[in-house]
PDB file of all heavy atoms in Angstrom:
ATOM      1  N   PHE A 366       3.128  -8.641  -2.738  1.00 95.00           N
ATOM      2  CA  PHE A 366       2.218  -8.353  -1.595  1.00 95.00           C
ATOM      3  C   PHE A 366       1.624  -9.606  -0.976  1.00 95.00           C
ATOM      4  O   PHE A 366       0.784  -9.577  -0.083  1.00 95.00           O
ATOM      5  CB  PHE A 366       1.107  -7.427  -2.028  1.00 95.00           C
ATOM      6  CG  PHE A 366       1.558  -6.072  -2.587  1.00 95.00           C
ATOM      7  CD1 PHE A 366       1.714  -5.865  -3.938  1.00 95.00           C
ATOM      8  CD2 PHE A 366       1.881  -5.028  -1.700  1.00 95.00           C
ATOM      9  CE1 PHE A 366       2.114  -4.667  -4.391  1.00 95.00           C
ATOM     10  CE2 PHE A 366       2.299  -3.816  -2.215  1.00 95.00           C
ATOM     11  CZ  PHE A 366       2.435  -3.664  -3.537  1.00 95.00           C
ATOM     12  N   PHE A 367       2.024 -10.766  -1.547  1.00 95.00           N
ATOM     13  CA  PHE A 367       1.474 -12.037  -1.021  1.00 95.00           C
ATOM     14  C   PHE A 367       2.552 -12.753  -0.199  1.00 95.00           C
ATOM     15  O   PHE A 367       3.694 -12.849  -0.644  1.00 95.00           O
ATOM     16  CB  PHE A 367       1.102 -12.979  -2.229  1.00 95.00           C
ATOM     17  CG  PHE A 367      -0.130 -12.492  -2.950  1.00 95.00           C
ATOM     18  CD1 PHE A 367      -0.048 -11.482  -3.888  1.00 95.00           C
ATOM     19  CD2 PHE A 367      -1.330 -13.138  -2.700  1.00 95.00           C
ATOM     20  CE1 PHE A 367      -1.176 -11.080  -4.581  1.00 95.00           C
ATOM     21  CE2 PHE A 367      -2.475 -12.690  -3.416  1.00 95.00           C
ATOM     22  CZ  PHE A 367      -2.427 -11.647  -4.332  1.00 95.00           C
ATOM     23  N   ALA A 368       2.161 -13.167   0.984  1.00 93.00           N
ATOM     24  CA  ALA A 368       3.173 -13.798   1.899  1.00 93.00           C
ATOM     25  C   ALA A 368       3.796 -15.029   1.257  1.00 93.00           C
ATOM     26  O   ALA A 368       4.934 -15.355   1.570  1.00 93.00           O
ATOM     27  CB  ALA A 368       2.513 -14.144   3.223  1.00 93.00           C
ATOM     28  N   ASP A 369       3.097 -15.673   0.298  1.00 92.00           N
ATOM     29  CA  ASP A 369       3.666 -16.853  -0.335  1.00 92.00           C
ATOM     30  C   ASP A 369       4.111 -16.631  -1.759  1.00 92.00           C
ATOM     31  O   ASP A 369       4.417 -17.545  -2.494  1.00 92.00           O
ATOM     32  CB  ASP A 369       2.643 -18.027  -0.334  1.00 92.00           C
ATOM     33  CG  ASP A 369       1.403 -17.646  -1.130  1.00 92.00           C
ATOM     34  OD1 ASP A 369       1.302 -16.520  -1.616  1.00 92.00           O
ATOM     35  OD2 ASP A 369       0.531 -18.546  -1.318  1.00 92.00           O
ATOM     36  N   GLY A 370       4.187 -15.328  -2.181  1.00 88.00           N
ATOM     37  CA  GLY A 370       4.667 -14.991  -3.550  1.00 88.00           C
ATOM     38  C   GLY A 370       3.707 -15.351  -4.632  1.00 88.00           C
ATOM     39  O   GLY A 370       4.055 -15.345  -5.803  1.00 88.00           O
ATOM     40  N   SER A 371       2.439 -15.691  -4.315  1.00 94.00           N
ATOM     41  CA  SER A 371       1.458 -15.986  -5.338  1.00 94.00           C
ATOM     42  C   SER A 371       0.928 -14.685  -5.968  1.00 94.00           C
ATOM     43  O   SER A 371       1.512 -13.638  -5.698  1.00 94.00           O
ATOM     44  CB  SER A 371       0.332 -16.861  -4.812  1.00 94.00           C
ATOM     45  OG  SER A 371      -0.337 -16.233  -3.741  1.00 94.00           O
ATOM     46  N   GLY A 372      -0.153 -14.715  -6.673  1.00 96.00           N
ATOM     47  CA  GLY A 372      -0.764 -13.508  -7.242  1.00 96.00           C
ATOM     48  C   GLY A 372       0.052 -12.934  -8.367  1.00 96.00           C
ATOM     49  O   GLY A 372       0.071 -11.718  -8.576  1.00 96.00           O
ATOM     50  N   ARG A 373       0.652 -13.780  -9.159  1.00 97.00           N
ATOM     51  CA  ARG A 373       1.526 -13.303 -10.255  1.00 97.00           C
ATOM     52  C   ARG A 373       0.729 -12.604 -11.379  1.00 97.00           C
ATOM     53  O   ARG A 373       1.334 -11.955 -12.202  1.00 97.00           O
ATOM     54  CB  ARG A 373       2.377 -14.406 -10.843  1.00 97.00           C
ATOM     55  CG  ARG A 373       3.304 -15.046  -9.847  1.00 97.00           C
ATOM     56  CD  ARG A 373       4.526 -15.640 -10.443  1.00 97.00           C
ATOM     57  NE  ARG A 373       5.418 -14.655 -10.982  1.00 97.00           N
ATOM     58  CZ  ARG A 373       6.461 -14.118 -10.298  1.00 97.00           C
ATOM     59  NH1 ARG A 373       6.761 -14.529  -9.065  1.00 97.00           N
ATOM     60  NH2 ARG A 373       7.187 -13.191 -10.813  1.00 97.00           N
ATOM     61  N   ASN A 374      -0.570 -12.718 -11.368  1.00 98.00           N
ATOM     62  CA  ASN A 374      -1.383 -12.118 -12.421  1.00 98.00           C
ATOM     63  C   ASN A 374      -2.000 -10.782 -11.885  1.00 98.00           C
ATOM     64  O   ASN A 374      -3.002 -10.347 -12.457  1.00 98.00           O
ATOM     65  CB  ASN A 374      -2.468 -13.060 -12.908  1.00 98.00           C
ATOM     66  CG  ASN A 374      -3.366 -13.466 -11.777  1.00 98.00           C
ATOM     67  OD1 ASN A 374      -2.960 -13.648 -10.618  1.00 98.00           O
ATOM     68  ND2 ASN A 374      -4.629 -13.737 -12.083  1.00 98.00           N
ATOM     69  N   THR A 375      -1.465 -10.200 -10.819  1.00 98.00           N
ATOM     70  CA  THR A 375      -2.090  -9.041 -10.257  1.00 98.00           C
ATOM     71  C   THR A 375      -1.120  -7.845 -10.317  1.00 98.00           C
ATOM     72  O   THR A 375       0.076  -8.014 -10.430  1.00 98.00           O
ATOM     73  CB  THR A 375      -2.461  -9.289  -8.784  1.00 98.00           C
ATOM     74  OG1 THR A 375      -1.327  -9.643  -8.039  1.00 98.00           O
ATOM     75  CG2 THR A 375      -3.535 -10.357  -8.629  1.00 98.00           C
ATOM     76  N   MET A 376      -1.698  -6.635 -10.145  1.00 98.00           N
ATOM     77  CA  MET A 376      -0.836  -5.467 -10.123  1.00 98.00           C
ATOM     78  C   MET A 376      -1.497  -4.371  -9.269  1.00 98.00           C
ATOM     79  O   MET A 376      -2.724  -4.317  -9.142  1.00 98.00           O
ATOM     80  CB  MET A 376      -0.513  -4.919 -11.491  1.00 98.00           C
ATOM     81  CG  MET A 376      -1.688  -4.408 -12.278  1.00 98.00           C
ATOM     82  SD  MET A 376      -1.205  -3.571 -13.811  1.00 98.00           S
ATOM     83  CE  MET A 376      -0.707  -4.929 -14.837  1.00 98.00           C
TER      84      MET A 376
END
Side-chain angles (χ1 to χ4, degrees):
F366 300 97
F367 288 79
D369 64 354
S371 59
R373 298 207 71 93
N374 58 327
T375 58
M376 64 171 75

